[in-house]
Amino acid sequence: MASTYTPIATTTLGSAQSTVTFSSIPSTYTDLVVVSYAQTTASSGSPSINMRFNGDTSAVYSMTQLYGDGTSAVSARVTGQSFVYFANIPNTSASAWGSGIGSIMNYANSTTYKTVLSRSADATFYTIARVNLWRSTAAINSVTLYEGSSGNFSTGSTFTLYGIKAA
Amino acid sequence: MADTFIKIASVTVGAGGASSIDFTSIPSTYTDLCLKFSGRCDTVDNINITFNGSTTSYTTRYLYGSGSAAASASASTQYVGATNASTYTANAFGNAEIYIPNYAGSNNKSISTDSVQETNVSTVYMVLDAALWSNTAAITSLSLAPSSGKYVQYSTATLYGIKNS
């Protein structure tokens, strides 16, 4: 049987830190999946885990989201961003942890812009479905994740990058 | 090269239905769990989850669409999603994917669920759910159950283990 869901890299934080980077991503897969189990060291709020490809900090990312806060459902869109909104994470106050699952389709092609489809589960703040676009035709060879409120990810936060092959 | 999306166990409900679908003796050797569910209930339209036989310390926050509107709600229950109920179009089953990262770790557990109903009426629901089980024990068993009634024959659930190395 073909091996089609293969861990490329994983990091479990032994101490709080703000950034995790997966570099030298091989081009041999069809799609990528990023999975996070994380918490912010902040004591309030639900910051986002932001993502960048190939270290690109230019304003070429856009995002549409549908989210629920337990009271109402809202859809919103932002353009001209310098990062992907991947997932939101709980703070330390409730000892809660959140999960994020994102798919990056056809990441290694050099013809099309890249799309990220993700869902985010923070039971203390938001449930979110998102689509992000990176307006670049470059093949993705690195993925950087960072805590979006200028804080840190808590010790024990885990981030994993999987490769999926179509054949 | 590692093959990391591995079936741990699969259950298909037999004639007479089942009030719960249970997975026991889940090994701790994986990183995450992923449960795929195709089901229909003979009464209500929900999926509730139980870990390690514990019925306490669950919270849930969900986002749902009915076909005409979107809304959000939260509760301190074991609810994780929706499935088809007895009044729905015959032979139509709902689907759900339940993802549980770091299930064997020593922090509280996060659960992410994407579930859908479908039937030939104007109002049916799709639900995206974020749940938290505030318990630091490793998950060694889990059960899916409706809040009342049974999952009908041919409802299926398959539990996969995912390794990150």
Side-chain angles (χ1 to χ4, degrees):
Chain A
M1 182 182 294
S3 179
T4 61
Y5 201 100
T6 304
I8 297 172
T10 189
T11 298
T12 298
L13 301 185
S15 61
Q17 65 185 64
S18 62
T19 303
V20 171
T21 298
F22 299 121
S23 57
S24 302
I25 298 170
S27 61
T28 51
Y29 300 96
T30 309
D31 306 320
L32 299 175
V33 173
V34 179
V35 177
S36 67
Y37 171 84
Q39 180 193 68
T40 174
T41 55
S43 58
S44 62
S46 175
S48 59
I49 301 173
N50 297 339
M51 177 187 286
R52 285 182 172 134
F53 299 127
N54 298 359
D56 187 355
T57 61
S58 57
V60 292
Y61 301 82
S62 54
M63 181 273 289
T64 302
Q65 64 179 345
L66 178 63
Y67 66 92
D69 61 3
T71 302
S72 58
V74 178
S75 181
R77 175 166 171 76
V78 292
T79 60
Q81 296 296 298
S82 60
F83 54 83
V84 165
Y85 287 90
F86 173 60
N88 283 49
I89 48 177
N91 62 64
T92 57
S93 63
S95 298
W97 291 72
S99 49
I101 306 164
S103 297
I104 307 165
M105 285 69 143
N106 203 10
Y107 72 101
N109 87 82
S110 56
T111 305
T112 70
Y113 294 169
K114 310 302 183 296
T115 300
V116 184
L117 182 64
S118 66
R119 73 184 204 233
S120 168
D122 170 1
T124 62
F125 275 89
Y126 302 114
T127 303
I128 311 170
R130 286 186 173 121
V131 58
N132 282 263
L133 177 69
W134 179 44
R135 295 196 306 279
S136 171
T137 59
I140 293 172
N141 53 45
S142 76
V143 173
T144 299
L145 301 156
Y146 65 97
E147 205 269 6
S149 68
S150 302
N152 286 319
F153 298 121
S154 295
T155 301
S157 295
T158 298
F159 304 89
T160 303
L161 178 69
Y162 296 93
I164 298 176
K165 282 186 179 177
Chain B
M1 187 171 290
D3 188 3
T4 65
F5 207 113
I6 299 167
K7 185 183 81 171
I8 296 173
S10 186
V11 174
T12 299
V13 174
S19 58
S20 66
I21 295 174
D22 307 315
F23 296 93
T24 59
S25 302
I26 299 170
S28 62
T29 50
Y30 301 97
T31 310
D32 303 339
L33 297 176
C34 185
L35 183 60
K36 308 276 190 174
F37 175 66
S38 168
R40 178 183 174 98
C41 181
D42 63 4
T43 51
V44 297
D45 66 351
N46 56 46
I47 306 168
N48 295 279
I49 201 162
T50 300
F51 296 120
N52 297 359
S54 171
T55 59
T56 61
S57 304
Y58 296 85
T59 53
T60 181
R61 190 166 297 233
Y62 50 97
L63 169 68
Y64 61 97
S66 65
S68 59
S72 179
S74 61
S76 296
T77 68
Q78 295 164 260
Y79 176 86
V80 292
T83 193
N84 280 14
S86 59
T87 56
Y88 289 25
T89 302
N91 302 315
F93 282 53
N95 286 332
E97 179 191 271
I98 302 168
Y99 199 95
I100 310 163
N102 204 19
Y103 72 100
S106 57
N107 291 315
N108 294 333
K109 308 302 180 294
S110 174
I111 304 103
S112 176
T113 304
D114 193 352
S115 64
V116 294
Q117 305 172 329
E118 191 47 62
T119 185
N120 191 29
V121 298
S122 59
T123 300
V124 290
Y125 293 96
M126 56 183 299
V127 181
L128 196 65
D129 181 76
L132 178 71
W133 185 42
S134 295
N135 191 305
T136 58
I139 293 171
T140 57
S141 70
L142 70 83
S143 297
L144 300 181
S147 57
S148 65
K150 296 178 179 179
Y151 291 129
V152 304
Q153 187 178 20
Y154 306 121
S155 294
T156 64
T158 302
L159 182 65
Y160 297 91
I162 299 169
K163 285 185 179 177
N164 66 6
S165 61

